[in-house]
Amino acid sequence: MTDMTDDALTGLDALGIADEIRKGALTPQEALDAAIARVDALNPALNAVVHRHDDLARRAIAEGLPDGPFRGVPFLLKDLDLRLAGTVTTSGSHLFDGIVATRDSTLTARYKAAGLVIFGKTNAAELGLSSATEPAAFGPTRHPLDPALSPGGSSGGSAAAVASGMVPMAHATDGAGSIRMPASLTGIFGMKPSRGRTPVGPDASEIFFGMSVNHAITMTVRDSAALLDATSGPEPGARYGLAADDLSFLEQSRRDPAPLRIALMTEPFGAEPVEGTCRDVAIEAAHLAAALGHHVEEARPSLDGIDPAHCFRRLAAALTLVFVEDVAAPHGIADPRALLEPVNVAWMDEAKGLTAGDQIRAIGEMHAIGRALARFFERYDVLITPVTAQSRLPHGHFNGAETDVTRFVDRLTAFGPFTFPFNAGGMPAMSVPVTRVGGLPVGAQFASALGRDGTLFALAGQIERARPWHRLTRN
């Protein structure tokens, strides 16, 4: 390298790498070579990266990179939702084998315009429908601190890649907690932006009825904020759109927020039991917020009797059926069910038993959850909760060979009862690393009103400055 050792480079976040490249202390090719070397060294044990696009990355550098805020920074896409021209996005399934994208997704194009160098894709749960990353097509991703554990899902590959130091940030998606849960389990920062903040086109106007959002898992708050600055904003045909704040997200992350009204909720919306560790970490986060000058009190939203798990189950079933059928038919796949894990076949079978009325009512429940949360955020700026109800996730806890949807959904809900309501409502929510318990990181969830992403970035930046978490991911 020009002036830097690999150890020094590993300690930099994405903006730090971009700054070294701008100063001439590092070249984009050297940054890419270092990232490739780390993936080569770490991935055999972790199985975080399942597709390599090294040649595409080298070609992008040779052709000249845009002068964006992340010029020359190596980057990984999650193997779900986004398209990279000339490559296959498999969504963790053999269903997509050989289906090559002919153009970039809008967000992929924005990543490239920001100067990012995409050199691979990270492991994801099949179709994104699990809270673990253990697809039959590619095998399980392992936790960087304990190979007997999962880093969560469905963005577990991205979380493991960032937490292990392969890259400082990686693309991730969140339809029910898939950014926040892996971020909490691995001790890194995970922001799910507001609905409509990032584009999902050009081939769709929304994903999972508007509940799934694309962004990233990052080591630092400022990387997440700067990346959202570079990629947010409407696109032609978008179903949702949000006005930009007066200040950039990066600038907001650098400023301590005015004293906030913060609520603390340690019990879920349903009757799921919560491990004491997860409850204690949320309380610790509340104490930290109070010490930083915010007003904190216990309070909880009322969802007016709506069961979030019931809503999720019906919408996920419908999505699975239509998604699979819409892939199979135009590509001549006669028996798509044979290419799927049994649990996702069971989702499809469940969907066939639902009526149009069931679907409309489930969508109505989704929006009712959003209205209930919106009323709550008229009184409070932020809500703190646990991220998960269990602090560790053993491999095999979510079994793709399961054929009983009720049993599978019960496990999903028992593990992650706190995250999905904010997908239903479209609100921004983030997992912030708080501490280690028994040697493993545990985070807390912070949520706010629709469009108040900047409030969360400001609070996250304040917490990061008061209690840096960057050692939580290392042995």
Side-chain angles (χ1 to χ4, degrees):
M1 290 186 186
T2 307
D3 289 321
M4 303 189 66
T5 66
D6 186 57
D7 286 344
L9 184 58
T10 303
L12 294 175
D13 67 359
L15 286 174
I17 293 172
D19 187 52
E20 294 298 324
I21 290 172
R22 274 191 296 273
K23 292 188 301 186
L26 182 70
T27 68
Q29 186 61 58
E30 288 172 335
L32 175 63
D33 289 344
I36 288 173
R38 289 194 297 274
V39 173
D40 287 343
L42 298 171
N43 202 57
L46 297 180
N47 193 35
V49 180
V50 292
H51 300 292
R52 296 286 292 272
H53 307 309
D54 300 5
D55 290 344
L56 287 179
R58 292 191 178 99
R59 189 182 313 151
I61 292 172
E63 292 174 352
L65 299 171
D67 190 22
F70 294 101
R71 179 178 176 272
V73 176
F75 192 68
L76 296 166
L77 298 181
K78 179 180 177 181
D79 187 29
L80 186 77
D81 288 348
L82 293 193
R83 303 293 179 264
L84 175 65
T87 73
V88 175
T89 297
T90 60
S91 300
S93 175
H94 287 305
L95 178 68
F96 299 86
D97 287 349
I99 302 177
V100 178
T102 58
R103 60 179 174 176
D104 289 341
S105 296
T106 303
L107 187 55
T108 306
R110 292 185 184 183
Y111 287 147
K112 290 181 176 180
L116 290 167
V117 179
I118 299 168
F119 72 105
K121 297 193 183 82
T122 60
N123 205 7
E126 186 176 80
L127 310 186
L129 289 170
S130 177
S131 294
T133 302
E134 301 174 359
F138 298 105
T141 295
R142 288 169 282 278
H143 196 293
L145 294 177
D146 187 340
L149 298 177
S150 169
S154 62
S155 304
S158 292
V162 174
S164 66
M166 293 180 188
V167 288
M169 64 180 185
H171 164 249
T173 71
D174 192 316
S178 289
I179 286 176
R180 289 157 288 162
M181 289 190 281
S184 176
L185 292 171
T186 58
I188 49 184
F189 181 69
M191 165 68 85
K192 180 196 83 69
S194 291
R195 176 178 295 152
R197 187 68 77 185
T198 55
V200 299
D203 300 316
S205 297
E206 64 180 10
I207 299 174
F208 196 12
F209 308 98
M211 293 189 292
S212 186
V213 180
N214 284 267
H215 186 41
I217 290 176
T218 64
M219 186 59 71
T220 64
V221 173
R222 71 172 192 163
D223 277 353
S224 184
L227 185 64
L228 196 58
D229 284 330
T231 57
S232 63
E235 64 180 322
R239 185 166 185 179
Y240 311 101
L242 293 169
D245 291 0
D246 292 336
L247 293 176
S248 71
F249 296 127
L250 180 59
E251 184 60 30
Q252 291 182 75
S253 75
R254 291 169 171 162
R255 299 185 178 193
D256 289 353
L260 299 170
R261 301 163 298 168
I262 297 180
L264 169 66
M265 172 179 132
T266 58
E267 299 300 328
F269 295 100
E272 300 84 7
V274 180
E275 182 184 314
T277 293
C278 300
R279 187 184 297 110
D280 291 345
V281 169
I283 293 171
E284 184 176 345
H287 287 160
L288 176 57
L292 293 172
H294 304 292
H295 174 77
V296 182
E297 63 185 43
E298 291 192 38
R300 59 182 293 117
S302 170
L303 298 188
D304 301 328
I306 299 169
D307 179 5
H310 178 273
C311 172
F312 169 79
R313 177 173 179 168
R314 277 150 181 74
L315 294 178
L319 173 72
T320 305
L321 177 64
V322 172
F323 184 50
V324 171
E325 289 184 345
D326 285 357
V327 169
H331 292 96
I333 301 172
D335 186 12
R337 296 162 64 95
L339 301 173
L340 295 173
E341 295 170 17
V343 68
N344 291 323
V345 174
W347 278 114
M348 294 174 65
D349 290 339
E350 170 144 325
K352 292 178 180 179
L354 299 176
T355 67
D358 293 329
Q359 180 70 1
I360 290 171
R361 292 184 188 98
I363 293 172
E365 289 175 352
M366 176 187 81
H367 292 308
I369 291 171
R371 292 193 298 273
L373 292 174
R375 290 192 294 271
F376 181 81
F377 285 122
E378 289 180 336
R379 303 195 307 276
Y380 295 96
D381 298 304
V382 172
L383 174 63
I384 297 175
T385 78
V387 180
T388 60
Q390 300 160 36
S391 61
R392 303 181 185 190
L393 181 59
H395 287 298
H397 184 77
F398 298 106
N399 186 357
E402 178 65 75
T403 58
D404 186 326
V405 173
T406 297
R407 192 156 46 222
F408 192 76
V409 171
D410 285 348
R411 286 206 160 194
L412 291 174
T413 304
F415 181 74
F418 293 98
T419 52
F420 171 71
F422 303 104
N423 296 85
M427 284 77 180
M430 63 185 182
S431 175
V432 176
V434 175
T435 190
R436 274 194 185 204
V437 177
L440 293 171
V442 184
Q445 177 174 240
F446 297 73
S448 192
L450 181 68
R452 295 288 301 274
D453 309 57
T455 297
L456 293 185
F457 276 123
L459 180 57
Q462 184 183 37
I463 293 171
E464 185 181 34
R465 288 186 291 275
R467 188 185 288 184
W469 55 71
H470 309 129
R471 291 185 299 275
L472 295 179
T473 60
R474 303 291 188 264
N475 278 311

